[in-house]
Amino acid sequence: MISPAVIAEFENILGSQNVMRDETDRHAYSYDSALVEQVVPELVLRPTDRERLGKVIRLCNENRLPLTVRGSGTNLSGGTIPSRENGVVLLTNALNRILEINTEDLYARVEPGVITAQFAAKVAARGLFYPPDPGSQAVSTLGGNVAENAGGLRGLKYGVTENYVMGMEFFDAQGEWIKTGSKTVKCVTGFNLKSLMIGSEGILGVFKEITLKLIPPPQAQQAMLAVFDAVDKASETVSEIIAEKIVPCTLEFLDNFTICSVEDFRKAGLPTEAQALLLIEVDGHPAQVAEEAEKIQAICRKKGATRIQKARDTEERDKIWQARRDALPALSRQKPTTVLEDATVPRSKIPQMVRGINDLSKKYNIEIGTFGHAGDGNLHPTFLTDRRDKAEFARVEAAIDELFEIALGLGGTLSGEHGIGVAKSKYLEMEIGKGTIALSRKIKQSLDPENILNPGKVIGG
Ligand SMILES: Cc1cc2nc3c(=O)[nH]c(=O)nc-3n(C[C@H](O)[C@H](O)[C@H](O)COP(=O)(O)OP(=O)(O)OC[C@H]3O[C@@H](n4cnc5c(N)ncnc54)[C@H](O)[C@@H]3O)c2cc1C
C-alpha cells in the first residue's frame, strides 16, 4: 500500500486532480492493446509539466514505487501493464506541446505526449515531412513511438522511428536529468545513449523532450495494387522487387482471409477471389516515380499477377491505403479474441514465412489472417480465437511458440516493431542468449538501481 503521507506529497506536487485514486480511474489504466493479464495500479499520476515529471519520478524512487510510464497504451506487448505491487502509472498525455518546428535546420522538439499524426500534420503544414506512420498514429504518442522504436507503412524506404531521433532529454530512475544527441546533423559527443534509449520500453528512463529529424516531402507518389491467384506468387514478387534494387516507400501484403474481412468491413472494392494482394507505393521525383512504377508492374506481371491497378488520383490512392489500415479492425471482428504478432524475417525469406504461417493454421486448426509490411520482412499473422475456449487458446499459444521458432530458424527476429514487453519476454533468450540478457540487466541496474522503472518488462527481473 502507498502510504497516505506519500499520496499527499504527490498531491502537493501535481494537485489532487492529477493524482487518481478511484477504482474506476485506476481500472482504465490496467490494460493496454496486448492480450496479457490486467493489473490495476494503485495510483495514476498525471504531471502537467516537465519539472513536475522529474519531481514525481524522484518521489517514486525514494519510496521504491514501481513506475510504468504510459503514452496512449496502444502498444501490443503489454508494455504499459502496471507492476503487481504498489504500481504507479504515470501518464504523459498532458506533456503534449510541440516546442519548436525549425524549418531552417529541419528538426522539431516535442514533449513525449504529442500525438504522432497531429505532429505529422503540423509538420506537413510547414512544408516538411515526418515519415514514421504506425497504424496507430491517430492515437499513439511520440514518446511511446520512441520507447517502442515504432515502424509503419513507410519503413521500407524511410526507416523507422530511430532514424528520426536526433536527440533527447530524459529522467533516469532517480529523476536525474540526462541529455543525449543534439539538434545538429552530426553529433559524436559522449556515449550514444540515445540509441540505448530508443526501444527501451520505459525500463531505463522517462523521456522529457525529444528532438526529431524532418525531411522535405516527396514531390510525387504512385500507389498501385497487384492481384495474385496464389500466395507464393505474391510473396515471391516481394523478394523479386527487392532483389531488383527498387525501393518502394511501401510494400504491403494481404492474404485472402484478410482481403475478405476488409471487404466485409467496408466495401472497398477489393477482389475477394484473390489469394493475395500487394499494395505498393513509390515516391520521389516524378520521372523516377514513373520509371519505378513501370518496373514494378513488369515484375508483378512476370510473377503472374492477374491484375494490376494504378491509383489514378488521390481518392483512389486513399482507398488503397484505407483498405490496408482496415486490416486489423476488420480481422478483429471475426472472433472475440485477436492476437496480432510481428515476427520478422530477412526479406528474401518472406515466401517461406508465409508458407510456415499457413502450415501452422492447418496444423493447429486456427484461423490466421496475415497482412503486413512484406517489404520489411515484417508480417502480422493475426490469430483469431476465443480466449474462453481453453482448448483452442492452448493451440493458439502452441502455434505462436512455433511461429517464433520458424522466424528465428529463417534468420529472423521476435519483433520487428511491437517490442517485447511482457508478452514476448519468455522468448528473449531464444534469440539473444543468456549473456546478452545478463549484460542488459547490468545496464538496467546502473540506471535504475531500485528497479522502479517498468519492472519485469523486456528482460524480466
Ligand atoms: C491498431 C494498432 C496499429 C498499430 N500499428 C503499429 C505499426 O504500424 N507499427 C508499430 O510499430 N506499432 C504499431 N502499433 C503498436 C503501438 O501503437 C506502438 O508501439 C506505439 O509506439 C505505442 O505508442 P503509445 O503512445 O500508445 O505508447 P504506450 O503503449 O503507452 O507505451 C509503449 C511503451 O513506451 C513506454 N513509454 C511511453 N511513453 C514514454 C516516455 N515518455 N518515456 C519512456 N517510455 C515511455 C511505455 O512504458 C511502454 O513500455 C499498433 C497498435 C495498434 C493498437
Side-chain angles (χ1 to χ4, degrees):
M1 288 281 289
I2 303 174
S3 77
V6 173
I7 293 175
E9 281 191 72
F10 280 126
E11 287 180 338
N12 217 4
I13 298 169
L14 298 174
S16 57
Q17 71 281 15
N18 292 311
V19 177
M20 289 165 243
R21 300 160 65 184
D22 283 357
E23 199 167 344
T24 14
D25 285 333
R26 293 187 289 118
H27 262 281
Y29 301 105
S30 64
Y31 60 91
D32 56 26
S33 304
L35 191 68
V36 292
E37 204 188 325
Q38 282 179 245
V39 177
V40 181
E42 202 172 328
L43 213 55
V44 179
L45 306 175
R46 185 172 178 270
T48 45
D49 62 51
R50 288 171 285 163
E51 197 188 328
R52 289 187 171 92
L53 173 68
K55 284 185 181 165
V56 294
I57 295 169
R58 248 168 263 142
L59 194 53
C60 286
N61 191 56
E62 279 160 23
N63 292 281
R64 297 189 183 177
L65 300 178
L67 176 67
T68 299
V69 194
R70 184 179 173 109
S72 295
T74 66
N75 77 88
L76 293 158
S77 49
T80 43
I81 301 296
S83 182
R84 209 156 281 280
E85 284 165 23
N86 304 340
V88 173
V89 165
L90 196 155
L91 306 179
T92 63
N93 62 354
L95 304 169
N96 59 359
R97 288 185 309 150
I98 297 174
L99 303 166
E100 182 184 3
I101 295 178
N102 191 311
T103 53
E104 262 193 322
D105 287 324
L106 306 191
Y107 70 80
R109 290 188 304 115
V110 296
E111 291 186 333
V114 172
I115 301 294
T116 316
Q118 290 176 8
F119 172 68
K122 287 260 162 56
V123 163
R126 303 285 298 275
L128 288 169
F129 184 36
Y130 177 70
D133 60 341
S136 53
Q137 62 179 341
V139 189
S140 72
T141 64
L142 291 167
N145 294 169
V146 176
E148 295 287 352
N149 195 8
L153 266 64
R154 302 190 185 110
L156 178 55
K157 178 168 177 181
Y158 291 102
V160 296
T161 303
E162 71 179 324
N163 302 105
Y164 296 87
V165 180
M166 298 172 77
M168 64 170 73
E169 295 179 19
F170 67 92
F171 290 114
D172 71 6
Q174 286 99 339
E176 200 64 52
W177 173 75
I178 316 277
K179 178 181 182 292
T180 169
S182 159
K183 297 172 203 162
T184 53
V185 174
K186 294 159 83 179
C187 169
V188 291
T189 307
F191 284 169
N192 190 353
L193 295 177
K194 179 186 77 177
S195 290
L196 179 67
M197 296 307 293
I198 298 168
S200 62
E201 302 191 31
I203 72 168
L204 298 180
V206 180
F207 311 138
K208 167 179 181 272
E209 183 180 315
I210 305 160
T211 303
L212 294 166
K213 179 168 88 174
L214 306 175
I215 61 173
Q219 291 172 33
Q221 289 117 346
Q222 177 64 62
M224 55 202 127
L225 176 156
V227 181
F228 294 87
D229 58 11
V231 169
D232 272 1
K233 290 181 189 170
S235 54
E236 284 163 15
T237 303
V238 172
S239 301
E240 179 97 359
I241 291 171
I242 304 293
E244 284 297 320
K245 302 182 182 55
I246 302 168
V247 187
C249 78
T250 307
L251 178 43
E252 297 286 309
F253 171 92
L254 267 68
D255 73 357
N256 173 266
F257 191 63
T258 310
I259 298 165
C260 294
S261 302
V262 169
E263 204 44 31
D264 188 39
F265 179 60
R266 188 196 310 261
K267 298 276 167 261
L270 297 183
T272 49
E273 73 288 356
Q275 287 308 303
L277 287 183
L278 292 181
L279 311 182
I280 310 165
E281 182 161 300
V282 282
D283 71 1
H285 187 276
Q288 176 204 343
V289 166
E291 190 189 324
E292 287 187 346
E294 273 310 312
K295 281 187 183 163
I296 288 174
Q297 287 179 85
I299 294 171
C300 291
R301 274 193 291 269
K302 189 177 103 188
K303 286 297 193 183
T306 53
R307 182 155 66 85
I308 303 161
Q309 184 187 319
K310 272 168 72 175
R312 283 167 299 189
D313 51 32
T314 318
E315 200 183 322
E316 285 191 5
R317 174 178 178 245
D318 290 348
K319 235 174 153 183
I320 290 179
W321 296 122
Q322 186 60 51
R324 165 60 183 86
R325 291 197 188 277
D326 282 345
L328 181 57
L331 285 170
S332 301
R333 294 195 327 157
Q334 303 292 342
K335 284 258 183 138
T337 310
T338 308
V339 187
L340 175 75
E341 282 305 343
D342 83 320
T344 301
V345 293
R347 292 169 295 196
S348 62
K349 300 290 190 290
I350 279 283
Q352 289 98 310
M353 191 66 198
V354 173
R355 255 174 258 143
I357 294 167
N358 290 339
D359 291 346
L360 288 178
S361 172
K362 284 186 206 119
K363 177 174 170 186
Y364 291 98
N365 188 22
I366 300 160
E367 277 175 321
I368 309 177
T370 299
F371 64 96
H373 321 301
D376 302 346
N378 182 195
L379 291 174
H380 293 313
T382 304
F383 296 74
L384 303 170
T385 179
D386 183 346
R387 205 176 187 175
R388 293 165 299 187
D389 179 344
K390 290 202 165 56
E392 184 176 273
F393 199 70
R395 294 204 306 278
V396 168
E397 289 184 313
I400 291 173
D401 289 349
E402 209 174 307
L403 174 79
F404 292 126
E405 283 165 22
I406 296 171
L408 295 181
L410 291 171
T413 182
L414 295 172
S415 174
E417 54 181 22
H418 295 165
I420 300 300
V422 279
K424 289 191 195 166
S425 57
K426 69 170 176 172
Y427 303 110
L428 199 61
E429 195 182 317
M430 256 164 69
E431 181 173 342
I432 65 175
K434 279 193 172 76
T436 315
I437 293 177
L439 174 66
S440 307
R441 286 188 178 149
K442 279 188 205 158
I443 294 170
K444 160 86 169 151
Q445 159 76 19
S446 68
L447 281 162
D448 179 14
E450 301 292 348
N451 193 23
I452 64 150
L453 291 178
N454 221 1
K457 310 290 157 49
V458 190
I459 49 173

